Amino acid sequence: MDFQLKTLDTARAATEKADALVVLVPESFSSDASDPLSTAVAAARKAGDLESKAGKLLSLYRPAGIAAPRVLLAGAGDGSAGAVRQAVTAAVSGLKALTSVRRIVVVLPAGLSDAPAAVRAAVNAAADASYVFTTTKPKADARRIERVTVGVADTAPVREAFAHASAQVVGVEFAKEWGNRPSNHATPTLLADAARTLGKLPRIKVEVLGPREVAKLGMGSFMAVAQGSEQELRFIVLRYDGASKGEAPVVLVGKGITFDTGGISIKPAGEMDEMKFDMCGAASVLGTFRALAELQPAINVVGLIPAAENMPDGRALKPGDVVTSMSGQTIEVLNTDAEGRLVLCDALTYAERFEPRAVVDIATLTGACVVALGAVRSGLFSSDDALAASLQAAGDTAMDLCWRMPLDDDYADGLKTNFADVANVAGRAGGAVTAAKFLQRFARKYPWAHLDIAGSAWKGGAAKGSTGRPVGLLLQYVVSQVGQPVKPVPAKKVARKAPAKVAKPVVAAKSARNPAT
């Protein structure tokens, strides 16, 4: 989808050639001008046919003096970014079904309180409202809208916001693509192939580790989850090198369970198909890297994706089994449906080698987080106040919201066990918090945050599909760190203890919204 930014007032917009013209009309809209568009807005308001409430529409067909054959006047409320998003979403949703509409002009009026935020909202809303998934629907109509021109009174103050939003759209749609694919079209191997395509873009390098390399690293917890599937695991390492080699990177860790049956602790059949979305954390990391390739910020970023299926065959992990993580800590697996934390813990240990400035893991981790926060905000947990504040601010700016949750040490009491260093689940109460407390054990050596996106990563029902979240939040956070002071990475790698040789899972030889409670 092609986005363009152009200087347009209502007079110039009236002469703009397009298949449809969308004019946002906030409460503060000035209709004193005598051009055809302003006159039409004034007449509609006077007649009471145009409401300024965000998302309310009035459609005009071939109005006199206006070049575009279709004009949509869209109420934009108080003119805030949220109201702009509602207005553009409503307008583009109405236009996307029209076969003859290929080029749209969206006019943002002068005088908006935050023009850069409005531009970002307009670009992202237009892309989201017109998105169509077609990969496994060969006869489906693809997205018809090809170009969206955003018209503003002055382009200079909003150019940076426009560039950021355009890059974000590319990343979000990459994440949506892989999040929406059925699991037989998004196996761990295919997810690794998707990562390799990113390696062809500027400043991005990709390394993919298979079962043999993962076993050599001692990732016993990750391997245990994968051992019940015919699909081989993959551990994907992405690097975006936008700054000097000596600058510590931000590390993003995405849960990549490409299908989650729950394993031996099998899930109910209803809506189990939605467990193809259990790799949306991984998809958000891929999407963020795709956006970084567009935006090219001066920062180093590492992406880590442990990718596997969680299946219940004769070799599968069983409740009560004890596995040894890469860190050497042993884990009693009381519930095989709490597998996300088992793959993430080894990736968090692997992250230590990069001496990161911060590590953020992203996972569709717990149904408990859906109960707590619904689909509006992702759950944010962090051991570092500054990191938490930066992520919360990034989410607010990107309109990809999160909410900080507690990490009191008392929540970890339920993870105690007589048979290992830690159990992988506690009781039902506070399930999102106890899951985060489990991960925190493996993230002591750097500033760490965990985003539980079980409620925000996809929609169910008639609108079923990936949302692409939290690519917007992650991209904004990474960009906000450009130029921030960080300690340099030591030239020599830190010596690492070999993992303890106890309680390793037995892996049979082979070719090498209801997530867990």
Side-chain angles (χ1 to χ4, degrees):
M1 192 172 188
D2 180 32
F3 285 95
Q4 295 186 352
L5 183 67
K6 196 169 185 178
T7 301
L8 288 176
D9 55 17
T10 52
R12 290 177 182 173
T15 65
E16 194 73 10
K17 292 181 179 180
D19 298 318
L21 184 63
V22 177
V23 182
L24 269 59
V25 185
E27 297 160 356
S28 60
F29 187 92
S30 174
S31 54
D32 296 336
S34 58
D35 62 88
L37 269 177
S38 296
T39 301
V41 170
R45 278 176 144 181
K46 185 176 181 179
D49 293 333
L50 176 61
E51 296 183 49
S52 58
K53 183 178 178 181
K56 291 293 184 179
L57 302 175
L58 178 63
S59 180
L60 310 176
Y61 187 68
R62 296 195 181 278
I66 298 174
R70 300 166 189 83
V71 176
L72 275 180
L73 305 181
D78 60 2
S80 65
V84 168
R85 179 170 65 179
Q86 285 181 265
V88 174
T89 296
V92 175
S93 296
L95 292 169
K96 72 176 182 180
L98 302 178
T99 57
S100 57
V101 176
R102 303 282 181 178
R103 297 174 300 153
I104 294 176
V105 174
V106 178
V107 182
L108 304 183
L112 294 176
S113 59
D114 190 342
V119 165
R120 288 172 61 146
V123 169
N124 283 291
D128 190 52
S130 61
Y131 173 82
V132 180
F133 176 74
T134 60
T135 301
T136 52
K137 295 179 66 176
K139 295 182 180 180
D141 292 328
R143 172 190 265 154
R144 294 191 180 97
I145 297 172
E146 298 169 349
R147 177 184 296 176
V148 175
T149 299
V150 179
V152 294
D154 184 1
T155 59
V158 300
R159 283 196 190 105
E160 186 177 337
F162 177 79
H164 185 108
S166 300
Q168 181 178 321
V169 164
V170 174
V172 166
E173 296 197 350
F174 196 86
K176 282 183 177 181
E177 168 66 26
W178 285 94
N180 282 330
R181 288 190 178 210
S183 62
N184 60 327
H185 289 259
T187 63
T189 298
L190 291 174
L191 203 61
D193 290 343
R196 286 190 179 98
T197 67
L198 298 180
K200 300 174 183 178
L201 300 173
R203 297 183 174 181
I204 294 179
K205 298 175 183 175
V206 180
E207 181 184 11
V208 177
L209 309 182
R212 185 174 299 177
E213 294 90 349
V214 166
K216 191 174 180 181
L217 287 166
M219 292 184 170
S221 186
F222 177 25
M223 290 189 296
V225 172
Q227 70 192 37
S229 174
E230 288 298 317
Q231 295 290 337
E232 291 186 343
L233 63 78
R234 292 290 184 268
F235 188 71
I236 303 164
V237 182
L238 304 103
R239 298 196 65 146
Y240 169 79
D241 297 319
S244 66
K245 289 183 179 180
E247 186 170 308
V250 171
V251 177
L252 306 177
V253 181
K255 174 186 172 184
I257 299 297
T258 57
F259 194 80
D260 181 20
T261 66
I264 299 300
S265 307
I266 199 162
K267 294 176 180 291
E271 299 181 346
M272 195 195 283
D273 65 289
E274 293 188 4
M275 288 300 96
K276 71 176 186 178
F277 295 120
D278 212 18
M279 44 65 69
C280 282
S284 73
V285 173
L286 294 176
T288 302
F289 272 75
R290 181 65 187 87
L292 290 172
E294 293 290 313
L295 209 52
Q296 294 285 297
I299 192 170
N300 295 331
V301 187
V302 172
L304 304 177
I305 298 173
E309 285 186 342
N310 186 23
M311 298 290 283
D313 81 351
R315 294 169 293 223
L317 187 64
K318 304 176 296 299
D321 284 356
V322 175
V323 300
T324 304
S325 67
M326 185 181 180
S327 70
Q329 297 179 73
T330 57
I331 304 164
E332 184 183 17
V333 180
L334 297 180
N335 187 328
T336 65
D337 192 23
E339 85 299 326
R341 64 202 75 182
L342 296 178
V343 304
L344 288 171
C345 70
D346 280 345
L348 289 171
T349 300
Y350 187 89
E352 293 173 12
R353 65 184 53 205
F354 299 103
E355 291 289 324
R357 66 164 79 190
V359 175
V360 182
D361 75 70
I362 311 101
T364 49
L365 205 64
T366 66
C369 197
V370 183
V371 173
L373 296 175
V376 177
R377 291 179 183 262
S378 302
L380 167 64
F381 302 81
S382 184
S383 58
D384 185 279
D385 290 342
L387 174 58
S390 293
L391 288 167
Q392 187 115 29
D396 291 345
T397 300
M399 301 180 70
D400 187 353
L401 304 176
C402 61
W403 190 258
R404 192 174 184 186
M405 303 283 277
L407 272 177
D408 304 62
D409 287 340
D410 290 347
Y411 282 107
D413 289 346
L415 297 171
K416 293 177 181 176
T417 170
N418 294 335
F419 305 108
D421 293 324
V422 65
N424 77 323
V425 293
R428 292 190 63 180
V433 185
T434 56
K437 289 302 292 183
F438 176 91
L439 294 175
Q440 188 181 16
R441 295 176 62 98
F442 303 87
R444 303 284 191 190
K445 298 184 178 179
Y446 41 69
W448 161 80
H450 160 60
L451 288 169
D452 192 330
I453 60 170
S456 58
W458 80 91
K459 296 177 181 178
K464 184 183 291 186
S466 169
T467 62
R469 294 177 63 186
V471 170
L473 184 159
L474 296 173
L475 181 63
Q476 179 61 37
Y477 167 70
V478 169
V479 170
S480 74
Q481 297 306 296
V482 173
Q484 296 296 314
V486 291
K487 62 181 181 181
V489 179
K492 192 175 181 181
K493 285 185 179 177
V494 177
R496 314 189 65 250
K497 246 175 40 173
K501 295 183 178 180
V502 293
K504 288 187 177 178
V506 176
V507 183
K510 59 180 177 178
S511 57
R513 166 125 29 140
N514 187 28
T517 54

